[in-house]
Amino acid sequence: MTPAEPIKTQRLRLGLCMWVAGMLGVIAITVTVLPQLVADVTLAVPLWLVLLASTAQSALLLAVAVWLGVALAPKVGFRAAAFEAAVTAGSVRSALRPQLRPGLVAGVVGGIGLFAMGGFGFPAALAEGEQQFTVPIIARVLYGGVTEELLLRWGLMTVLVWLAWRFLQHRSGTPRSLYVWLAIFVSALLFGAGHLPAAAMQVGELTGYVVLLIVGANTTFGILFGYLYWRYALEAAVIAHAFAHLVSYVLSLGAT
């Protein structure tokens, strides 16, 4: 066995562990949301085939994002400490301990903001669409909290930082804060823009106000999650994102 083989094995285990975790969100969102999207559409193929194709496409995209993170994150100093501990027989509890408090605090702040935005900032058409287009809390937590963080932070943000470090900084030292902040903002902006198709399905036509609200709010959340990933580790962003959905959901129950 060569010295490189254990590292390759650990990376393979890490990637597989993260991919499986992300696939839980993919499956949850596919089986709960996609049938709602095509409920009023005459399909040319059976629904199960549509679900299978959607799952396969998402699985491939997730695999690419996960592997890019596994390959590039160590080069720029990013970590997924708890995932790494899980595949190396380390202490997951010890890996999570420094991330738990900042993740939960950010999750509470994000959840209150998400609830406030839904209760007071949404236009009437979007609020009505929210009632007709239901995303179960389990799907929000698994897909939003885990899958989106693997795609946007672990995958995209890591790649952006690595590109800047590789071609602008010429692999010298650790990535400059400016490059990290740019990567945080760009990945957060794409995260915000990625919510527009769902909003368009709800309201039919996107007004400037709706676009500004959806992109602006989710970009703000994305910046927060990106900062947590940078300063702590991926799991801090996962905790914050998932907990934000939970807090918003609990607050919405109390308001009804």
Side-chain angles (χ1 to χ4, degrees):
M1 181 177 291
T2 64
E5 285 179 339
I7 297 177
K8 289 181 179 179
T9 301
Q10 289 179 8
R11 287 184 175 180
L12 181 60
R13 290 176 180 172
L14 177 61
L16 182 60
C17 180
M18 299 178 90
W19 181 81
V20 169
M23 281 303 298
L24 295 177
V26 169
I27 293 171
I29 206 77
T30 300
V31 301
T32 61
V33 174
L34 189 55
Q36 297 181 59
L37 296 178
V38 300
D40 299 326
V41 178
T42 301
L43 299 175
V45 296
L47 177 60
W48 67 266
L49 188 58
V50 175
L51 297 177
L52 182 61
S54 176
T55 301
Q57 182 181 30
S58 297
L60 179 60
L61 180 60
L62 179 63
V64 171
V66 165
W67 186 246
L68 285 172
V70 169
L72 302 180
K75 299 180 185 295
V76 294
F78 290 165
R79 295 195 62 193
F83 279 109
E84 292 166 13
V87 300
T88 58
S91 173
V92 175
R93 180 181 298 181
S94 297
L96 284 176
R97 188 176 297 119
Q99 304 185 67
L100 193 58
R101 180 178 296 179
L104 290 176
V105 171
V108 170
V109 173
I112 293 173
L114 191 60
F115 171 73
M117 183 181 74
F120 306 105
F122 277 13
L126 194 56
E128 292 175 1
E130 283 269 305
Q131 296 175 358
Q132 299 173 1
F133 183 74
T134 305
V135 182
I137 184 59
I138 186 64
R140 297 181 197 178
V141 169
L142 289 176
Y143 188 84
V146 181
T147 309
E148 285 185 343
E149 290 307 308
L150 288 170
L151 292 170
L152 274 300
R153 253 58 68 178
W154 183 249
L156 179 60
M157 179 178 151
T158 299
V159 169
L160 292 174
V161 172
W162 180 83
L163 287 172
W165 174 76
R166 169 64 178 82
F167 294 104
L168 300 179
Q169 203 170 319
H170 306 292
R171 301 180 182 177
S172 175
T174 58
R176 296 172 185 167
S177 296
L178 174 62
Y179 298 150
V180 179
W181 277 114
L182 285 173
I184 289 174
F185 178 76
V186 171
S187 59
L189 186 62
L190 291 175
F191 171 68
H195 288 78
L196 290 176
M201 292 176 185
Q202 293 173 351
V203 301
E205 181 180 355
L206 294 176
T207 65
Y209 173 70
V210 170
V211 171
L212 183 62
L213 177 66
I214 296 297
V215 175
N218 285 288
T219 297
T220 301
F221 293 140
I223 290 173
L224 175 61
F225 302 148
Y227 175 81
L228 291 171
Y229 171 41
W230 174 32
R231 285 307 187 188
Y232 297 95
L234 178 68
E235 293 82 10
V238 169
I239 292 168
H241 198 155
F243 204 63
H245 283 296
L246 282 172
V247 169
S248 176
Y249 176 73
V250 172
L251 289 175
S252 67
L253 290 179
T256 55

